[in-house]
Amino acid sequence: MASDVTVLVEEPDVVTVCKPASVPVHPCGQYRKNTVVGILQAEHGLAPLFPVHRLDRLVSGLLILARNATKADLFRQQIEGGMLQKQYIAKVVGTFPEKELLVDIGIYYNHREGRSTVEAGDSCRDTPTKGKTASTKFTRISSNGTHSIVLCEPVTGRTHQIRVHLQYTGHPIANDMLYLSEYVDNRSDVGMSADRAAGKSLIPETNNMYVDDCEETCSKNFSIDPMCTQCPNLAPTGYEEHEEGLWLHCIRYSGPGWKYECPYPG
């Protein structure tokens, strides 16, 4: 999408920007140069930069980047210590409950499907869950009966946490095709999902010795996995022309003695 990466604050140790939807934070998946980090370096001469947190490719809003490793490590310590407060706004389906709602339920992220699911605990079973604990507080700002504007305050920071917790409440983000339904098409047939192609940078680097061995012994039997964004033999597939940004926008991050904000979206 033809949206600029707007620099909001430029300090000696910190840069904050208003990230537009459709651009990933850092190189991943099908993206190498056209990322927030790459654009800031090319257009503003800002480098090196260390993203303090990340936003999904289709999510817009406040993004904080440290300008040196020391500052980045300080932010990391505050995040791990649970000292940060994060606020997002979302446009969701239906009339959201008027009272504040706390969703405290675990999330499991499936890398192959590129989506998260909630994992409700079962006290009658001893089967361990694969997911991670997650907690999000929601407060309705307004509603017109068809849609609601909701303030989202994630306590933890899991992949797609706000999106899947809103789905769990019965009020998913109104244009979030990944979570509007419990059932998702097989994307190996229809092409790569935008979220998966954004690449979460969680896949470890390939071992070169393994690659060499595989090339020698397995080249004839090699087949392409259409779901794998790392495959060197898989050409980029692009995205749907009607793709738009999610109605989810980061507006504020705050911590001990600091606060950064981003303008509300239209």
Side-chain angles (χ1 to χ4, degrees):
M1 296 168 65
S3 302
D4 293 330
V5 177
T6 305
V7 176
L8 301 172
V9 173
E10 188 173 342
E11 299 175 345
D13 292 331
V14 178
V15 171
T16 71
V17 301
C18 184
K19 173 193 172 302
S22 83
V23 59
V25 172
H26 47 66
C28 52
Q30 298 188 81
Y31 292 87
R32 184 184 178 195
K33 295 289 188 181
N34 289 313
T35 66
V36 172
V37 172
I39 290 170
L40 289 175
Q41 179 177 358
E43 298 184 1
H44 298 273
L46 294 170
L49 292 173
F50 304 82
V52 172
H53 61 106
R54 65 174 303 278
L55 300 174
D56 290 343
R57 189 178 68 86
L58 297 180
V59 175
S60 59
L62 177 69
L63 181 66
I64 306 171
L65 305 105
R67 301 186 69 173
N68 55 68
T70 301
K71 190 66 173 181
D73 188 61
L74 178 60
F75 278 121
R76 179 190 60 78
Q77 293 176 29
Q78 293 179 358
I79 291 172
E80 292 179 352
M83 303 165 70
L84 269 59
Q85 292 78 49
K86 301 164 281 188
Q87 294 184 323
Y88 296 70
I89 54 171
K91 185 176 182 179
V92 305
V93 172
T95 302
F96 200 83
E98 191 171 0
K99 292 184 178 180
E100 180 180 290
L101 179 63
L102 178 66
V103 176
D104 192 6
I105 187 167
I107 290 176
Y108 170 67
Y109 180 71
N110 187 312
H111 292 278
R112 185 167 184 82
E113 293 185 0
R115 72 193 301 259
S116 295
T117 53
V118 296
E119 286 197 339
D122 190 342
S123 59
C124 298
R125 297 182 180 179
D126 295 327
T127 305
T129 60
K130 295 181 290 184
K132 298 179 179 179
T133 58
S135 180
T136 314
K137 183 172 67 175
F138 298 106
T139 307
R140 191 179 83 185
I141 297 175
S142 64
S143 179
N144 61 7
T146 302
H147 297 109
S148 298
I149 304 298
V150 179
L151 175 66
C152 315
E153 299 177 272
V155 179
T156 53
R158 311 304 182 196
T159 301
H160 295 185
Q161 176 175 318
I162 294 174
R163 298 165 67 180
V164 73
H165 273 178
L166 282 170
Q167 179 198 47
Y168 178 75
T169 68
H171 301 276
I173 296 172
N175 69 339
D176 190 351
M177 301 311 296
L178 194 61
Y179 293 103
L180 275 171
S181 171
E182 289 285 348
Y183 304 97
V184 181
D185 293 333
N186 185 341
R187 288 184 292 280
S188 64
D189 295 332
V190 299
M192 203 178 307
S193 77
D195 293 287
R196 179 169 173 75
K200 301 302 180 285
S201 294
L202 298 177
I203 301 175
E205 293 184 3
T206 306
N207 184 292
N208 290 332
M209 293 181 62
Y210 173 81
V211 172
D212 292 339
D213 291 341
C214 186
E215 287 179 349
E216 292 179 4
T217 60
C218 309
S219 58
K220 293 183 180 180
N221 297 325
F222 180 78
S223 60
I224 294 175
D225 180 355
M227 291 292 288
C228 177
T229 63
Q230 308 299 319
C231 178
N233 290 0
L234 183 62
T237 57
Y239 299 103
E240 303 272 344
E241 290 185 3
H242 62 268
E243 181 180 272
E244 61 178 338
L246 281 179
W247 289 340
L248 178 63
H249 185 86
C250 180
I251 58 171
R252 187 176 298 109
Y253 261 64
S254 59
W258 60 268
K259 177 173 68 175
Y260 296 108
E261 297 179 318
C262 183
Y264 281 68

